[in-house]
Amino acid sequence: MPDPAPLPVAAVAPPAPLPVLDVAGLRLDLVPEEGLPVNLVERLDLTLAPGEIHALVGESGCGKSVSCLAMARLNPEPPFRYGGAIRLLGRDLLRLSERELRQVRGRDLAYIFQEPGAALNPVMSVGGQIGEALRLHRAARPGEGGAGLRETVVELLRQVGIPEPAVRARAYPHQLSGGMQQRVMIAMALACRPALLVADEPTTALDVTVQAQIMELLRRLRDSQGTALLLITHNLGLVAGVADRVTVMYAGQQCETAPVNALFTRPAHPYTRALLDAVPRLDDRRPSLTTIPGRVPPPREFPAGCRFAPRCPAARAECRQGAPPGRDLSTPGHRCWCRLA
């Protein structure tokens, strides 16, 4: 009797890769010893896939940097208070102890700050500072003594494009240019191959040529190591050239999230359109640059309803009567918080 024909096996799609970062409904309040709590960030949602560059943009005072620090709970508790969830590789950082957080910071999640001269230790050589990060998070690595550690430090400096890395490793921060200091910060951040790199205005104090070199370096390292990058900036030209997705913040709230092409070609939120209109262009024939009237309100003065309504030329009465709902637009992944979108 012939063997029965094997049953067909249904094709099973491979599971989607786990997001590197999944921020859901993040809220951050400042709770003083006396007085009422002050809301700094409200309802922030972010998701970063491996190797993705996600830009967080907005004017100064919109909550970008404080949100950036919140990704690793670097805003001290108290006086700050967190809500929502911050999942890094599936672990909710808001539920970890301080000891567990110290193991995550620098190993799974690393930072590049906007002023490397202030972030680097002035009394330690740059090689010593990179070596310290390696020792903290790779102390159990077998066979890596003092000589092996020095070789690793020199190789990291070489990877970020620092000439004569063995010599520069013995230098102190004040002996290096701003661009070199930023490269040292990047080498230190990437020493333990983190899954997520948070860069807060990494090119602000650098000239245009060095800015391009630093961003090209970050892109190359992203491609070679698969590191996800959360880029905090107000430079929309930079965002257009490097980002995969963009989130626009205003007064501590998320107002629009979209793939980079959709955001620049079909902006939905009036604040996003105002930001793009304010960018100078080489073919611009306007007699003067467009500006956004008014200013970003301080946290204690956030208005009810849509926080952009007092500056929005299209605002209606209902815009001031409650928080705007989020709406999914035609492009997948394009979401806007505006009644007029």
Side-chain angles (χ1 to χ4, degrees), residues 116-139:
L120 293 170
N121 190 328
V123 298
M124 284 183 68
S125 68
V126 296
Q129 295 182 59
I130 298 173
E132 183 179 47
L134 288 166
R135 282 191 297 272
L136 283 172
H137 296 291
R138 299 167 66 183

Side-chain angles (χ1 to χ4, degrees), residues 108-123:
D108 301 321
L109 186 160
Y111 278 79
I112 301 172
F113 296 104
Q114 60 180 303
E115 294 185 13
L120 293 170
N121 190 328
V123 298

Side-chain angles (χ1 to χ4, degrees), residues 304-307 309 314-325 327 338-340:
C306 174
R307 294 179 179 178
R316 302 172 182 172
E318 60 265 31
C319 296
R320 298 176 171 85
Q321 295 175 356
R327 295 183 178 183
C338 178
R339 289 181 172 84
L340 309 179

Side-chain angles (χ1 to χ4, degrees), residues 173-214:
H174 73 274
Q175 296 174 306
L176 304 178
S177 67
M180 288 293 182
Q181 290 177 354
Q182 195 63 287
R183 290 173 187 268
V184 169
M185 285 288 297
I186 295 171
M188 191 183 309
L190 294 173
C192 298
R193 295 181 173 267
L196 173 65
L197 187 61
V198 180
D200 185 9
E201 301 278 8
T203 61
T204 295
L206 308 177
D207 63 54
V208 175
T209 302
V210 179
Q211 284 185 24
Q213 293 172 352
I214 293 297

